[in-house]
Amino acid sequence: MSTSLKIRQVFIFFITWLSYASTYLLRKPLGVIKPDLEKTHHLKKTEMGWLDAALLLPYAVMQMLLGSLGDKIGARKALTICLIGSAFSMISFGYWKSYLILASLLFFNGTFQATAWPNCVKALSSWYSDEHRASIFGLWGTCIFAGGIMGTSLTVYLQYIYSPELEIVFIIPSLIVFVIGLLVFSMLRTPSELNIEIPGKTQATEATSGENVEPLGVLDVCRLEKVPELLVAVICVKLVRYCLYMWLPMYLHEALKYSKSQAGMLSTTFEIGGVLGSALIGVFINKILNDREMMGCFIVIVLSAISLSLFLITSSWGLVYNLTFSLLTGMFNCGPTSILTGSIPARIGQKVNAQATVSGVVNGFGGAGAIVEGPVIGVIVDYYGWSGAFYFMVFLSILASLSLLKGSQDDMT
């Protein structure tokens, strides 16, 4: 492999990593500022849960409807629209007091961000060989959780300085995302645009690579091999992740009595665990399980259910235990995400020349699970307390692992 190709691969890895990580600068603030929203806007937990849904509903649905956009106009243009549109939708969020306007802005943010994941997956997968896909996506998937850490840390810092005023909390992240959108538009390219052939990469079959092939619909994708099992797992895993993303700071503040800034920073250990898990799972699958991706994810998600249980059991034992099990939960819940929504869909989609479409549908279904996170957790906490929310997440993790076990059977034969 030539040095110039390696340089291009590293650059594409970096720019897509940065692009997706930046989306969390405009997602994570909502979870961190919940105590301020509760106080200044006099919102109940259920109402704050519906704000989560206002963001995550369009994010899920539009991924399924617009997932093929990158296959039609190219990943560069689709990703640029995503980032710049997201920045404009959230830049004024902190100025509004109307619940309806806040929900509307979150809706637009979710709509624009819906095309981020499938187009990052499409752009990245086009530059790497099939042999290295799992390890590359595992390492690249650290952007999800590194983005969460950056989003939380920046929000906590701005909140500490400007709270209870929230204007700057959204202006600065919006400007950062806007600049990254311009960078993507000017610099992101695919191998086909540059007439570069990637060694070891399977090309789409002639029957599916023509321009006149009708794009796959949502139902068509759902009928592809292994996709049903994948959808169940992704729905459950992402629902658990967003439960912790959006509510862990408030749980730490309200139930375990940390200060708002302490709770916000402590919650980043979940994302730190996600970085470690995502970086290691690709190597684990490649070196130990001989590329059996679903089996690897099954094992890790079983460990996620165990770590969630231990997080609840040891929650009153002090800071060290809170840090340890938050970190482990992040490793085992978040680690498989890039494989489940990136590597496996890219492999399935490559066979029918529809990487962005398949990835968008799979990740969109996962987002559909995350939609109900806000209202459901709000109701569970109001009626059954925080322990009820943890029991719910353990159940979801078990369900996800069983679905992956079923999907991995073909890999074992």
Side-chain angles (χ1 to χ4, degrees):
M1 186 182 297
S2 67
T3 302
S4 61
L5 177 56
K6 289 181 180 180
I7 292 173
R8 287 185 183 276
Q9 288 176 324
V10 170
F11 176 75
I12 295 299
F13 184 99
F14 170 75
I15 194 171
T16 53
W17 190 98
L18 185 63
S19 297
Y20 197 75
S22 72
T23 64
Y24 282 87
L25 299 182
L26 296 177
R27 286 191 228 175
K28 287 294 292 185
L30 183 60
V32 176
I33 66 169
K34 274 193 169 79
D36 285 330
L37 289 176
E38 184 179 40
K39 181 178 180 180
T40 60
H41 292 69
H42 308 292
L43 300 179
K44 298 178 181 178
K45 290 184 177 64
T46 303
E47 291 175 314
M48 290 188 289
W50 282 111
L51 287 179
D52 290 355
L55 171 66
L56 298 174
L57 173 63
Y59 180 74
V61 174
M62 294 304 175
Q63 275 195 80
M64 291 183 276
L65 297 179
L66 301 177
S68 62
L69 184 63
D71 294 324
K72 295 176 181 177
I73 69 172
R76 178 174 67 94
K77 293 179 182 178
L79 190 54
T80 300
I81 293 170
C82 153
L83 296 175
I84 293 179
S86 178
F88 275 112
S89 67
M90 293 302 290
I91 195 167
S92 66
F93 187 87
Y95 287 94
W96 300 100
K97 305 300 180 184
S98 166
Y99 184 83
L100 181 60
I101 293 177
L102 295 178
S104 298
L105 293 175
L106 289 168
F107 182 91
F108 286 120
N109 186 33
T111 299
F112 283 113
Q113 290 205 5
T115 59
W117 182 264
N119 289 293
C120 284
V121 168
K122 180 178 177 65
L124 183 68
S125 64
S126 67
W127 280 94
Y128 287 91
S129 68
D130 301 338
E131 179 185 358
H132 298 110
R133 181 184 287 119
S135 57
I136 290 297
F137 268 98
L139 186 60
W140 181 83
T142 59
C143 67
I144 303 170
F145 316 108
I149 294 169
M150 292 186 289
T152 298
S153 301
L154 180 60
T155 303
V156 168
Y157 173 73
L158 296 174
Q159 182 190 44
Y160 176 76
I161 296 176
Y162 297 103
S163 180
E165 301 300 325
L166 301 176
E167 292 87 348
I168 301 298
V169 171
F170 291 93
I171 290 175
I172 292 179
S174 296
L175 293 175
I176 294 172
V177 172
F178 177 80
V179 171
I180 294 174
L182 296 179
L183 180 67
V184 166
F185 183 75
S186 62
M187 307 191 76
L188 183 64
R189 294 293 186 274
T190 62
S192 59
E193 291 174 320
L194 300 174
N195 295 317
I196 295 175
E197 184 175 339
I198 306 300
K201 184 162 189 63
T202 302
Q203 301 299 316
T205 63
E206 185 176 347
T208 60
S209 61
E211 295 181 359
N212 297 324
V213 175
E214 185 176 343
L216 293 177
V218 175
L219 293 179
D220 298 320
V221 172
C222 292
R223 295 189 187 103
L224 296 174
E225 185 182 6
K226 295 183 182 293
V227 168
E229 294 85 358
L230 191 60
L231 294 179
V232 172
V234 170
I235 288 171
C236 294
V237 169
K238 289 196 72 172
L239 203 162
V240 172
R241 176 156 63 91
Y242 273 90
C243 286
L244 291 165
Y245 264 177
M246 297 300 192
W247 293 95
L248 184 56
M250 192 166 195
Y251 165 72
L252 295 169
H253 173 61
E254 187 176 274
L256 303 187
K257 308 305 179 184
Y258 291 98
S259 69
K260 286 189 294 185
S261 59
Q262 287 174 331
M265 293 309 298
L266 178 55
S267 70
T268 63
T269 56
F270 176 75
E271 282 107 338
I272 293 171
V275 171
L276 296 174
S278 184
L280 294 174
I281 190 171
V283 177
F284 172 64
I285 290 171
N286 282 145
K287 302 298 184 183
I288 298 177
L289 296 179
N290 297 319
D291 293 327
R292 289 156 57 193
E293 294 169 313
M294 279 194 165
M295 177 54 68
C297 291
F298 159 73
I299 294 170
V300 173
I301 293 172
V302 168
L303 295 174
S304 172
I306 295 172
S307 62
L308 274 167
S309 301
L310 292 174
F311 192 174
L312 176 62
I313 292 169
T314 64
S315 61
S316 62
W317 294 9
L319 177 63
V320 173
Y321 289 94
N322 298 154
L323 287 170
T324 299
F325 288 108
S326 176
L327 183 77
L328 291 175
T329 299
M331 283 184 63
F332 299 134
N333 172 263
C334 302
T337 297
S338 59
I339 305 298
L340 293 174
T341 60
S343 179
I344 298 176
R347 172 166 52 84
I348 295 171
Q350 182 175 297
K351 298 176 182 178
V352 290
N353 198 31
Q355 296 100 316
T357 302
V358 176
S359 180
V361 169
V362 171
N363 204 41
F365 266 92
I371 291 168
V372 301
E373 158 271 315
V376 168
I377 293 298
V379 169
I380 289 175
V381 172
D382 279 339
Y383 285 93
Y384 302 102
W386 288 105
S387 60
F390 275 88
Y391 295 142
F392 177 62
M393 290 187 284
V394 170
F395 167 76
L396 291 171
S397 298
I398 294 172
L399 182 60
S401 64
L402 292 175
S403 181
L404 288 171
L405 181 61
K406 181 178 183 297
S408 68
Q409 295 305 305
D410 292 341
D411 297 335
M412 299 172 64
T413 58

